Amino acid sequence: NAGVTQTPKFRILKIGQSMTLQCTQDMNHNYMYWYRQDPGMGLKLIYYSVGAGITDKGEVPNGYNVSRSTTEDFPLRLELAAPSQTSVYFCASSYSFQGGYEQYFGPGTRLTVT
Amino acid sequence: AQSVSQHNHHVILSEAASLELGCNYSYGGTVNLFWYVQYPGQHLQLLLKYFSGDPLVKGIKGFEAEFIKSKFSFNLRKPSVQWSDTAEYFCAVTSYGGSQGNLIFGKGTKLSVKP
């Protein structure tokens, strides 16, 4: 049982490039989330999904897109990378959204945009 | 909007000292409360959580937290810290009901424990 896995671990992008951050969970969780973590700012929710085919915006969705075609996978897409998107990105999953069940986090992707 | 405040940005302690990290939230309804820990270079892991019942909850590695509803607080404590407790600690809250319930994180408190 691998839990939540993310690839890549590190990536450097040039301004204007695009990329997809991959996230996979093997716990059969319905709910999945993408956060970004900036120094001294805690975690901010980018997008979340309550099940395959259903996604919604979080607090900071601009510049990102997501899709959820399967229960296991929840990729995050950056279309036109900007320096402001330099951050550490964490994917998480949980059994339930309402009721505040524990979220399980992946190891993170450190992204630098130059 | 809900928010979570962590009072200290960086706490430095010597080994065996006692620890208390403050956390206050702003939300008037029923809440679930969490403390997560992030060791250097690692992902977030759950330390403890409060859903209901006894307001004093015990977590892993000797940590505990007390939910005081009247003060909207959920402070984290440990009687005697170890060097291995050096990490960043995040308080988070989620709420029952509503159209958008999700984890709201505080900005984190970095704990450095001197051997």
Side-chain angles (χ1 to χ4, degrees), chain B:
Chain B
Q2 292 179 67
S3 65
V4 177
S5 297
Q6 293 185 238
H7 311 305
N8 307 101
H9 176 63
H10 192 185
V11 173
I12 302 172
L13 295 173
S14 297
E15 274 193 315
S18 64
L19 170 72
E20 181 161 3
L21 301 182
C23 172
N24 286 90
Y25 64 92
S26 65
Y27 183 69
T30 302
V31 292
N32 298 321
L33 297 154
F34 303 81
W35 275 98
Y36 280 85
V37 60
Q38 186 177 30
Y39 297 103
Q42 295 190 27
H43 61 285
L44 275 76
Q45 303 169 46
L46 184 70
L47 262 184
L48 48 79
K49 59 191 175 188
Y50 172 80
F51 286 174
S52 64
D54 189 343
L56 183 63
V57 292
K58 295 190 185 300
I60 61 172
K61 303 187 181 186
F63 286 90
E64 65 178 31
E66 185 176 12
F67 170 51
I68 303 179
K69 190 174 180 179
S70 61
K71 295 185 178 180
F72 298 91
S73 70
F74 190 55
N75 292 354
L76 181 71
R77 300 195 291 249
K78 185 171 184 179
S80 175
V81 295
Q82 300 172 317
W83 177 79
S84 58
D85 294 324
T86 294
E88 191 157 16
Y89 293 81
F90 294 92
C91 182
V93 61
T94 192
S95 62
Y96 279 109
S99 61
Q100 184 177 349
N102 58 66
L103 278 183
I104 309 296
F105 284 87
K107 293 184 177 181
T109 297
K110 193 167 292 189
L111 172 65
S112 299
V113 180
K114 299 183 293 183

